[in-house]
Coordinates of all heavy atoms in Angstrom, one line a residue:
R898 N 0.8 -1.2 0.0 CA 0.0 0.0 0.0 C 0.9 1.3 0.0 O 0.6 2.2 -0.7 CB -0.9 0.0 1.2 CG -2.0 -1.0 1.1 CD -3.1 -0.8 2.2 NE -2.6 -0.8 3.5 CZ -2.5 -1.8 4.3 NH1 -2.7 -3.1 3.9 NH2 -2.0 -1.7 5.6
A899 N 2.0 1.2 0.8 CA 2.9 2.4 0.8 C 3.6 2.6 -0.5 O 3.7 3.7 -1.0 CB 3.9 2.2 1.9
E900 N 3.9 1.5 -1.2 CA 4.5 1.6 -2.5 C 3.5 2.2 -3.5 O 3.9 3.0 -4.4 CB 5.1 0.3 -3.0 CG 6.3 -0.2 -2.2 CD 6.6 -1.7 -2.5 OE1 5.8 -2.5 -2.9 OE2 7.8 -2.0 -2.2
A901 N 2.3 1.8 -3.4 CA 1.3 2.4 -4.3 C 1.1 3.9 -4.0 O 0.9 4.7 -5.0 CB -0.1 1.6 -4.1
R902 N 1.1 4.3 -2.7 CA 1.0 5.7 -2.4 C 2.2 6.5 -3.0 O 2.0 7.6 -3.4 CB 0.8 5.9 -0.9 CG -0.5 5.5 -0.4 CD -0.8 6.0 1.1 NE 0.3 5.6 2.0 CZ 0.4 4.5 2.6 NH1 -0.5 3.5 2.4 NH2 1.4 4.2 3.5
L903 N 3.4 5.9 -2.9 CA 4.6 6.5 -3.4 C 4.4 6.7 -4.9 O 4.7 7.8 -5.4 CB 5.8 5.6 -3.1 CG 7.2 6.2 -3.4 CD1 7.4 7.5 -2.7 CD2 8.3 5.2 -3.1
A904 N 4.0 5.7 -5.6 CA 3.8 5.8 -7.1 C 2.7 6.9 -7.4 O 2.8 7.5 -8.4 CB 3.4 4.4 -7.6
A905 N 1.7 7.0 -6.6 CA 0.6 8.0 -6.8 C 1.0 9.4 -6.3 O 0.2 10.3 -6.6 CB -0.6 7.5 -6.1
G906 N 2.1 9.5 -5.7 CA 2.5 10.8 -5.2 C 1.9 11.2 -3.9 O 1.9 12.4 -3.5
T907 N 1.3 10.3 -3.1 CA 0.6 10.6 -1.9 C 1.3 10.0 -0.7 O 0.8 10.0 0.4 CB -0.8 10.1 -1.9 OG1 -0.9 8.7 -2.1 CG2 -1.6 10.8 -3.0
Y908 N 2.5 9.4 -0.9 CA 3.3 8.8 0.2 C 3.6 10.0 1.2 O 4.0 11.1 0.9 CB 4.6 8.2 -0.3 CG 5.4 7.6 0.8 CD1 5.0 6.3 1.4 CD2 6.5 8.2 1.4 CE1 5.8 5.8 2.4 CE2 7.2 7.6 2.4 CZ 6.9 6.4 2.9 OH 7.6 5.8 3.9
G909 N 3.4 9.7 2.5 CA 3.7 10.6 3.5 C 2.6 11.5 3.9 O 2.7 12.5 4.7
I910 N 1.4 11.3 3.3 CA 0.2 12.0 3.6 C -0.8 11.1 4.2 O -1.0 10.0 3.7 CB -0.3 12.6 2.3 CG1 0.7 13.6 1.6 CG2 -1.7 13.4 2.5 CD1 0.3 14.1 0.3
S911 N -1.4 11.5 5.3 CA -2.3 10.7 6.1 C -3.5 10.3 5.2 O -4.1 11.2 4.5 CB -2.8 11.5 7.3 OG -3.9 10.8 7.9
V912 N -3.8 9.0 5.2 CA -5.0 8.5 4.4 C -6.3 9.0 5.1 O -7.3 8.9 4.5 CB -5.0 7.0 4.3 CG1 -3.7 6.6 3.5 CG2 -5.0 6.3 5.6
E913 N -6.2 9.4 6.4 CA -7.4 9.8 7.1 C -7.7 11.3 7.0 O -8.8 11.7 6.7 CB -7.2 9.4 8.6 CG -8.4 9.6 9.4 CD -8.2 9.0 10.8 OE1 -7.8 7.8 10.9 OE2 -8.5 9.7 11.8
S914 N -6.7 12.1 7.2 CA -6.9 13.6 7.3 C -6.3 14.3 6.1 O -6.6 15.5 5.9 CB -6.4 14.1 8.6 OG -4.9 14.0 8.6
G915 N -5.3 13.7 5.4 CA -4.6 14.5 4.4 C -3.5 15.3 4.9 O -2.8 16.0 4.2
E916 N -3.2 15.2 6.2 CA -2.1 15.9 6.8 C -0.8 15.2 6.5 O -0.8 14.0 6.3 CB -2.2 16.0 8.4 CG -3.3 16.9 8.9 CD -3.3 16.9 10.4 OE1 -2.3 16.8 11.0 OE2 -4.4 17.0 11.0
Q917 N 0.3 16.0 6.5 CA 1.6 15.5 6.3 C 2.0 14.6 7.4 O 1.9 15.0 8.6 CB 2.6 16.7 6.1 CG 3.9 16.3 5.5 CD 3.9 15.9 4.1 OE1 3.1 16.4 3.3 NE2 4.8 15.0 3.7
I918 N 2.6 13.5 7.2 CA 3.1 12.6 8.2 C 4.6 13.0 8.3 O 5.3 13.0 7.3 CB 3.0 11.1 7.8 CG1 1.6 10.7 7.6 CG2 3.7 10.2 8.9 CD1 1.4 9.3 7.1
P919 N 5.0 13.3 9.5 CA 6.4 13.8 9.7 C 7.5 12.8 9.2 O 7.3 11.6 9.4 CB 6.6 14.0 11.2 CG 5.2 14.2 11.7 CD 4.3 13.4 10.8
D920 N 8.5 13.3 8.6 CA 9.6 12.4 8.1 C 10.2 11.5 9.2 O 10.5 10.3 9.0 CB 10.7 13.2 7.5 CG 10.3 13.8 6.2 OD1 9.2 13.5 5.6 OD2 11.1 14.6 5.6
A921 N 10.3 12.0 10.5 CA 10.8 11.2 11.6 C 9.9 10.0 11.8 O 10.5 8.9 12.1 CB 10.9 12.1 12.8
R922 N 8.6 10.1 11.7 CA 7.7 9.0 11.8 C 8.0 8.0 10.7 O 8.0 6.8 10.9 CB 6.3 9.4 11.9 CG 5.3 8.2 11.9 CD 3.9 8.7 12.4 NE 2.9 7.7 12.2 CZ 2.7 6.6 12.9 NH1 3.6 6.3 13.8 NH2 1.7 5.8 12.6
L923 N 8.1 8.5 9.5 CA 8.3 7.6 8.3 C 9.6 6.9 8.3 O 9.7 5.8 7.8 CB 8.1 8.4 7.0 CG 6.7 9.0 6.7 CD1 6.7 9.9 5.6 CD2 5.7 7.8 6.5
E924 N 10.6 7.5 8.9 CA 11.9 6.9 9.1 C 11.8 5.6 10.0 O 12.4 4.6 9.8 CB 13.0 7.8 9.7 CG 13.5 8.9 8.7 CD 14.5 8.3 7.7 OE1 15.1 7.2 7.9 OE2 14.6 9.0 6.7
I925 N 11.0 5.8 11.0 CA 10.8 4.7 12.0 C 9.8 3.7 11.5 O 9.9 2.5 11.6 CB 10.3 5.3 13.4 CG1 11.4 6.1 14.0 CG2 9.8 4.2 14.3 CD1 10.9 6.9 15.1
A926 N 8.7 4.2 10.9 CA 7.6 3.3 10.4 C 7.3 3.7 8.9 O 6.4 4.5 8.7 CB 6.4 3.5 11.3
P927 N 8.1 3.2 8.0 CA 7.9 3.6 6.6 C 6.6 3.3 6.0 O 6.2 3.9 4.9 CB 9.0 2.9 5.8 CG 9.6 1.9 6.8 CD 9.2 2.2 8.1
T928 N 5.8 2.4 6.6 CA 4.5 2.1 6.0 C 3.4 2.9 6.7 O 2.2 2.6 6.5 CB 4.2 0.6 6.2 OG1 4.2 0.2 7.5 CG2 5.2 -0.2 5.4
A929 N 3.7 3.9 7.6 CA 2.7 4.6 8.3 C 1.7 5.2 7.4 O 2.0 5.8 6.3 CB 3.4 5.7 9.1
E930 N 0.4 5.1 7.7 CA -0.7 5.6 6.9 C -1.3 6.8 7.6 O -2.1 7.5 6.9 CB -1.7 4.5 6.7 CG -1.2 3.3 5.9 CD -2.2 2.2 5.6 OE1 -3.0 1.9 6.6 OE2 -2.2 1.7 4.5
R931 N -1.0 7.0 8.8 CA -1.6 8.1 9.6 C -0.6 8.8 10.5 O 0.5 8.2 10.7 CB -2.7 7.5 10.5 CG -3.9 7.0 9.8 CD -4.9 6.2 10.7 NE -5.9 5.6 10.0 CZ -5.8 4.4 9.3 NH1 -4.6 3.8 9.3 NH2 -6.8 4.0 8.6
T932 N -0.9 10.0 11.0 CA -0.1 10.6 11.9 C -0.1 9.9 13.2 O -1.1 9.1 13.4 CB -0.5 12.1 12.2 OG1 -1.8 12.1 12.8 CG2 -0.5 12.9 10.9
V933 N 0.8 10.2 14.1 CA 0.8 9.5 15.4 C -0.5 9.8 16.2 O -1.1 8.8 16.7 CB 2.0 10.0 16.3 CG1 1.9 9.5 17.7 CG2 3.3 9.5 15.6
E934 N -0.9 11.0 16.2 CA -2.2 11.4 16.9 C -3.4 10.6 16.3 O -4.2 10.1 17.1 CB -2.4 12.9 16.8 CG -1.3 13.7 17.5 CD -0.1 13.9 16.6 OE1 -0.1 13.6 15.4 OE2 1.0 14.3 17.2
E935 N -3.5 10.5 15.0 CA -4.6 9.8 14.4 C -4.5 8.3 14.7 O -5.6 7.7 15.0 CB -4.6 10.0 12.9 CG -4.9 11.4 12.4 CD -4.6 11.6 11.0 OE1 -3.8 10.8 10.3 OE2 -5.1 12.6 10.5
E936 N -3.4 7.8 14.7 CA -3.2 6.3 15.1 C -3.6 6.1 16.5 O -4.2 5.1 16.8 CB -1.8 5.9 14.8 CG -1.6 4.4 14.7 CD -2.3 3.8 13.5 OE1 -2.2 4.3 12.4 OE2 -3.0 2.8 13.7
Q937 N -3.1 7.0 17.4 CA -3.5 6.8 18.8 C -5.0 6.9 19.0 O -5.6 6.2 19.8 CB -2.8 7.9 19.7 CG -1.3 7.6 19.8 CD -0.5 8.7 20.5 OE1 -1.0 9.8 20.6 NE2 0.7 8.4 21.0

């Protein structure tokens, strides 16, 4: 799913809110689909 988002140009953007997912989160969890707050 993350590879598909990368190909579509939406990698790093929350699938829930459209907010940017911080790079630090993506470094730790490269498949993250949501921000930490949304996930919590």
